[in-house]
Coordinates of all heavy atoms in Angstrom, one line a residue:
V77 N 99.9 69.5 99.7 CA 98.7 70.4 99.7 C 97.5 69.5 99.4 O 97.4 68.9 98.4 CB 98.8 71.5 98.6 CG1 97.6 72.4 98.6 CG2 100.1 72.3 98.8
P78 N 96.5 69.4 100.4 CA 95.4 68.6 100.2 C 94.5 69.1 99.0 O 94.5 70.3 98.7 CB 94.6 68.8 101.5 CG 95.6 69.2 102.5 CD 96.6 70.1 101.7
A79 N 93.8 68.2 98.4 CA 92.9 68.6 97.3 C 91.9 69.7 97.8 O 91.4 69.6 99.0 CB 92.1 67.4 96.9
G80 N 91.6 70.6 96.9 CA 90.7 71.7 97.2 C 91.2 72.8 98.1 O 90.4 73.7 98.4
V81 N 92.4 72.8 98.5 CA 93.0 73.9 99.3 C 93.7 74.9 98.4 O 94.6 74.5 97.7 CB 93.9 73.3 100.4 CG1 94.6 74.4 101.2 CG2 93.2 72.4 101.3
A82 N 93.3 76.2 98.6 CA 93.9 77.2 97.8 C 95.3 77.5 98.4 O 95.6 77.4 99.6 CB 93.1 78.5 97.9
H83 N 96.3 77.7 97.4 CA 97.7 78.0 97.8 C 98.4 78.8 96.8 O 97.9 78.8 95.6 CB 98.4 76.6 98.1 CG 98.4 75.7 96.9 ND1 97.3 75.0 96.5 CD2 99.4 75.4 96.0 CE1 97.6 74.3 95.4 NE2 98.9 74.5 95.1
A84 N 99.4 79.5 97.2 CA 100.2 80.3 96.3 C 101.6 80.4 96.8 O 101.9 79.9 97.9 CB 99.6 81.8 96.2
V85 N 102.5 80.9 95.9 CA 103.9 81.0 96.4 C 104.1 82.5 96.6 O 103.9 83.3 95.7 CB 104.9 80.4 95.3 CG1 106.3 80.6 95.8 CG2 104.6 79.0 95.1
A86 N 104.6 82.8 97.8 CA 104.8 84.2 98.2 C 106.2 84.7 97.6 O 107.0 83.9 97.3 CB 104.8 84.4 99.7
P87 N 106.3 86.0 97.4 CA 107.6 86.5 97.0 C 108.8 86.1 97.9 O 108.5 85.9 99.1 CB 107.4 88.0 97.1 CG 106.0 88.3 97.0 CD 105.3 87.1 97.7
G88 N 109.9 85.9 97.4 CA 111.1 85.6 98.2 C 111.5 84.1 98.1 O 112.5 83.7 98.7
S89 N 110.8 83.3 97.3 CA 111.2 81.9 97.1 C 112.3 81.9 96.0 O 112.5 82.8 95.2 CB 110.0 81.1 96.6 OG 108.9 81.2 97.5
G90 N 113.0 80.8 96.0 CA 114.1 80.6 95.0 C 114.6 79.2 95.1 O 114.7 78.6 96.2
G91 N 115.1 78.7 94.0 CA 115.7 77.3 93.9 C 114.9 76.4 93.0 O 114.3 76.9 92.0
T92 N 115.0 75.1 93.3 CA 114.4 74.1 92.4 C 113.3 73.4 93.1 O 113.4 73.0 94.3 CB 115.5 73.1 92.0 OG1 116.6 73.8 91.4 CG2 114.9 72.1 91.0
L93 N 112.1 73.3 92.5 CA 111.0 72.7 93.0 C 110.5 71.5 92.2 O 110.4 71.6 90.9 CB 109.8 73.7 93.1 CG 108.5 73.2 93.7 CD1 108.6 72.9 95.1 CD2 107.4 74.3 93.5

Side-chain angles (χ1 to χ4, degrees):
V77 180
V81 173
H83 57 286
V85 179
S89 301
T92 306
L93 179 67

